[in-house]
Each structure stands twice: as structure tokens, then as C-alpha cells.
Amino acid sequence: MPDEPLLRVEEVSKHFKVRGRTLHAVERVSFELDAGQTLGLVGESGSGKSTLGRVALRLLEADAGRVVFQGRDIAKLSSKELRQERRHMQIIFQDPLASLNSRMTVGAAIEDAMIIQGVGTRAERRKHVDELLERVGLPLSAGNAFPFELSGGQQQRVGIARALAVKPKLVVCDEPISALDVSIQVQIIDLLKDLQKEMNLAYIFISHNLGVVQYLSDRVMVLYLGEVVEQGTAQDLFADPQHPYTRVLIDSILKIPESSAERRPMTGLPGEMPSPFSPPVGCPFHPRCALAQDRCSAEKPQMRAVADGHLAACHFAG
Amino acid sequence: MSTVTDAVAYASNRSWRRSRLRRGFGRFARGPLSIIGLIWIIVLVVVALFAPQLAPYPVAGDILVVNEAPSLAHWFGTNNVGQDMLTLCMYGVRYTLTIAAGATILSFCIGVFVGMMAGLQGGWLDQVLMRFTDFMYSFPSFVLAITVIEFTGQGIVSVIVMLGLTQWAGFARLSRGMTLTLRNSELVESGRAIGASRAFVIRHYVFPHVWSSISVYTAFFLVNIITQDGMLGLFYNVGPQPPNISFGSLLLLNTPDVLGFPWLLTMPVLVFVSILVSLIVVGEGLQTMLSPKGSVNL
């Protein structure tokens, strides 16, 4: 199968049982991701972005559906095989300080990843740590520092170095810039982009910063209440959003108007996302949708192609 | 950027593995009291190990020197049967530190095992283990200890086992709490994500944090154990066989004569308190050392 993608996610669902109730975190999501490509995941807090990223790495077990990584169903791997496979799939966390071991120096934390995967001799690992530090833009002496002694941006660089230490093919970036200053965000984004080119990495890039997602992604998926409401290439999706939710999201990007003629009243999205314990019948978005009609609360819209490679789940799309 | 420059200046060119210990000890050494406490504890440990060789007189006593005040010959004086108080105190230190170390290690192992099991497994096992821990916490352990010692007989091992088996509840609670916090943390998730086995994650990502969060408790626990052992000796006359003697028994033994010969009380109490104080001081220094952020100042 020459066309087998690096990662294929098929109809994956993830539910959490919370005090006897069922939380629908991810509902029947499918996508494919090729090596060297970036898939952007956008949506509000609680839309299931992070859960989906973790299910793709089997940090969480899917309740239904399949995750096929490099042609193998990762749910069928034994725990030992899975641990070995983790070498090829890594994650960068939102809060680098929380994800780094405060009792380990930065150098030890990066080397730790290689030790766990049994990579190289001691000397090779040390050398590779130095290379990684340099590559992510940290001084070599930072290897001696403890994570809390570094700034937020530097901590995230450590998180990236640690994830890349084992030369993965797929990296889930779980809101890697949300905790950083705006000026630092740009540096980290550029670093991620450069590294992707160099190492032919595939990214699943999770963010609620649409501008960044547009900049980084080849394809974008919009999630709402755990369901994909629209997906397409970054270009198509931002130029011609089909789902009303996507439109609201894109409209909510703050732009500084260049002339007073461009100034328009800000339109927010009314209300809150409904409870994921009891998602609405019909279209999950209908209680907040400006276009909603009777049909939307009765009949769930199916994903359908509105253009080549551009899908939306709305009765009125296209 | 200043943060990294500081860290860099701090760490200079040492390899990151060695510098960890050195820097830790540097923080420990910053508190002069911790160093004094540590030196005193080392002295006491040496005394404990070599009490039979170091003691100036035999334990048995000499009826020709009954109730003598402290002098050059008898630094701590003698009691009503002519025993040299310095000698008795040295054996007291030997016995006390043995009990403290033994009972603490035993409690630590039981408590941390129970606490981490409960925290990691959760569910009904957590419930059962923690209710049992609550029971042990509230149970009048002295009653249990004394009852069992009635059966097992007096002696160092019985005292260690009894204190160890009854006092671990605090260790269990603290380590469970820390384990629960860590279990769902991004730290543990990052370990799993990189492909570490469950055992590796527990050993390298969970236990070190559990240990640092209870290290200070451990120092105070030593103090608690030593006090409890003192009470066992003083109020229940539970203790070791001669020549070993607990500070509690020592006081009990001397009580009738204390009013006339105050050194019988002051000398053992001074030694006893010095053990407790130096343990506390070292415990705080230890916290400063183990916490990378090292904020405890003395």
C-alpha cells in the first residue's frame, strides 16, 4: 500500500464515565495524516481537541473506532510493543513546567527520553542532548539548569527537545503556545515549522489560536462538542468557511481595522457550549446557530463534500 | 533572559548529574544550624555505634561513688547505685537511635507502600486501604504496643516492630495524597508518552516527588518515635535489657533521687533533647536541599 498514510483515524469515539453519567468527549472522528503534514485541530475549550490528540497516541484508549499508525492498529499492540512504538509518536504539552520533572535538570530530562527508548550509548546520548539544545535555541549550559530556572519559552523549547530526542515521525502539539507570551509564541511557531521541514515531522496541532493554525496547517478540522463539523485544507477552510460555527470562529479573530469603513460591530457567539453529558439532538450546534431551522433540531446533518477535499456537516452548507 | 544567565552562572560547566547533588548540599550548608545539627547527629551516631568502647566506665556501677555530682572523673555524675551517668547516656543514645532508625524505616516502608498502592490503584482498594489507615491512625497504638510486648517479651526488636507496625498511618496518608496529585499530572503522562513502563514511571516520576514531600515528615517522625519510645520507658517501663537502656527507663530509674541530685534529671534530658532538636534542624535543612527551589531558611 504505497498510499497508506502515516496515521489513519477511523470513526474514533471516546466517552468518559463521570459519576454514572457519560461524557461524550469525541464522537466518531475520522482523519488521515501523511508524513510531513500538519493537521490543525480547532474548537472551543471542551470540544474534545486534546482528548482526540491523546486517543491518537493511545494515551487514552478509544471506546470505538481504529487508530492505525504506520499501518498498524495501535489498539492491538501489546504494552511492550506500544512502548517501543512511542518512539515514533510524541507529544508536546501546553504547560511545559508541569510536564517536566522538577527533580531533573534539563539535560537529564532530555536524555531520559533516550534512556527509556534505549537509544545510543551514554556518550552518544550526551552528544545528542547538546545537539538538541542547540537546535531548539538553548545555550548548552541550560542542560545544567532545572526547568523552573528557565523562562516559559525556554521551558517549551525543552519540551520540544525532549519530544524530538527520539526522532519521532508524529508529534501531537497540544496547545504548545497557549501559555506563552505573544512575542515568544512566534519564535516557538517558527521553530516548530523549521523542525518539521528538517525532520519530516507530521504534526497534529491543537490550538484555539486560529491565526496560528492557518499559518501552520495543511489541513484543518473544526471540532464542536467532540464532533467534526468541518474539515478541509487550511486555504479553503479559512477562505470559504461553510459551517456557521467555523464562520463565527473566524469572525471572532480580532483584527485591527485599517479604516473606519472596515469597522464593524463585534459579533460573539451567543451562549455556552451545551453540556457534553447530554449533547443536543439533531445538529449539535443548532441551539446557538443563527441559521437554525426546525430541521436542524430534528435531523443530524451528515458530513458531505462541499468542494474537493472540503467537508462540512451542515444542512445548508455548499 | 536573566533567569537562564543565573542558572548558567550557577551551574557553570559541571556535568548535569554531579551538579545536582553538589548544588543540593550547597543549599543544605547555607543554614549553619543544619550543619551544626548534622555534625551533632554524626557524633551521636558514632557514640551509638561504639558505645561499649567509648563508655568511660562499665554499666554495672561502683557502690563507692554513689550519687556523685558531675566532676572530671564523672562528667555527668553518678546515680544511687554508682552507675556513671555518661556511660548510661551513651547506651541510651545507642538504644534510642537504633529504635528510631528501625521503627522509622519499617513505618516508612509500610506507609509509603500502602499510600502509593491506594493512590495508584484507586477504586475499592483505595477505599479499603485508607479506611484501614484511618483505623490505625485513631487506634490507641500504645495499648496495642504494650499488649503485644507482653507476649513477645521486651527487647529492641519487639519495640521496633511494635512502633513500626502501629505508627505508619501518617506516611500512608501523605504519600497517597502526593500520588493522587501526580497520577493524573502531565508529568506522568509525559513519562508514558515517551514510552516508559509503569514501573519506571513510578520509580522515577512518582516516588521522588512522594519522597521529597514526606522527607521533612520523616525527620519529625523520628522525633515522634523517639518521644514515644521515651514514654514507653518512662510510663510503662517497656524497654531493652541491660546494658542497653532507654532514656525513659533512665529517668524512671532515677526519679526517686531527682530532687536531691538534679544532674540525674538534667543530663539525660539534655542529651535526649539535643537528639530531637538536631533531628528537627537537619530535617529542615534536608527540605531545603531536596526542594530544587530551596526556600526554607534557618
Side-chain angles (χ1 to χ4, degrees), chain B residues 28-29 31-43 274 278 281-282:
Chain B
F28 183 87
L33 270 181
S34 308
I35 287 292
I36 296 171
L38 183 66
I39 292 172
W40 184 236
I41 291 207
I42 292 171
V43 170
S274 80
S278 40
V281 169
V282 167

Side-chain angles (χ1 to χ4, degrees), chain A residues 218-256:
Chain A
D218 299 294
R219 289 185 69 78
V220 177
M221 272 190 354
V222 182
L223 272 87
Y224 187 78
L225 270 181
E227 294 183 36
V228 180
V229 294
E230 182 163 2
Q231 64 167 300
T233 63
Q235 209 173 358
D236 291 350
L237 191 126
F238 282 94
D240 185 22
Q242 291 295 318
H243 196 281
Y245 178 63
T246 315
R247 276 183 224 149
V248 177
L249 279 185
I250 291 173
D251 281 349
S252 69
I253 303 174
L254 289 177
K255 299 184 201 85
I256 299 167

Side-chain angles (χ1 to χ4, degrees), chain A residues 171-198:
Chain A
V171 179
V172 171
C173 308
D174 186 8
E175 310 221 16
I177 53 161
S178 305
L180 306 176
D181 280 352
V182 180
S183 54
I184 309 293
Q185 289 184 354
V186 179
Q187 298 173 11
I188 298 291
I189 293 299
D190 284 337
L191 175 63
L192 286 172
K193 194 150 189 163
D194 291 347
L195 290 168
Q196 176 169 43
K197 215 176 291 170
E198 272 167 46

